[in-house]
Amino acid sequence: QVQLVETGGGLVQAGGSLRLSCVASVRTFSTYAMGWFRQAPGKEREFVAAINWDGGSTTYGDSVKGRFTISRDNAKNTVYLQMSSLKPEDTAVYYCAGRRSVLLTGTGPYDYWGQGTQVTVSS
């Protein structure tokens, strides 16, 4: 069973930055494609970003392109989401997801999900 634990959420002012981290409890992390999703109250879950096994390929949702960057450190079993120029509409619970695949998985499907971390952007 793969466990994913997100950290780094919090309260930030509009225009600010945050970096989310997701640590995976699996020995073969480098064989997993990873993604970030978010869900705001009353809204459907939204794709944010995805990265392939070695970080060589990434893709982003339209609403975050140019502001968010996904990356990974396979030696630390960690995937990151650097968020900049944050807007109030970025407020949501952010989830990390993983799937055992060397290909870029994009919007899914993913097999494993974290519990989420809250990001709140004040205006």
Side-chain angles (χ1 to χ4, degrees), residues 15-114:
S17 299
L18 276 178
R19 188 177 79 159
L20 306 183
S21 300
C22 171
V23 178
S25 63
V26 61
R27 281 188 283 183
T28 56
F29 180 68
S30 62
T31 64
Y32 282 75
M34 302 297 294
W36 285 97
F37 292 76
R38 67 186 183 186
Q39 188 164 21
K43 295 188 176 181
E44 292 188 353
R45 187 171 63 196
E46 177 187 12
F47 169 73
V48 175
I51 190 167
N52 76 327
W53 71 279
D54 67 351
S57 295
T58 59
T59 187
Y60 296 90
D62 288 341
S63 61
V64 306
K65 281 181 182 176
R67 300 188 298 122
F68 290 11
T69 302
I70 188 171
S71 62
R72 66 190 294 160
D73 184 340
N74 287 342
K76 296 182 178 180
N77 280 21
T78 303
V79 62
Y80 303 98
L81 185 68
Q82 178 67 49
M83 306 184 293
S84 303
S85 302
L86 283 161
K87 306 174 182 179
E89 50 264 45
D90 293 318
T91 295
V93 177
Y94 283 71
Y95 298 91
C96 172
R99 179 189 184 192
R100 189 161 190 179
S101 172
V102 296
L103 301 175
L104 184 66
T105 297
T107 58
Y110 290 89
D111 300 317
Y112 305 101
W113 294 83

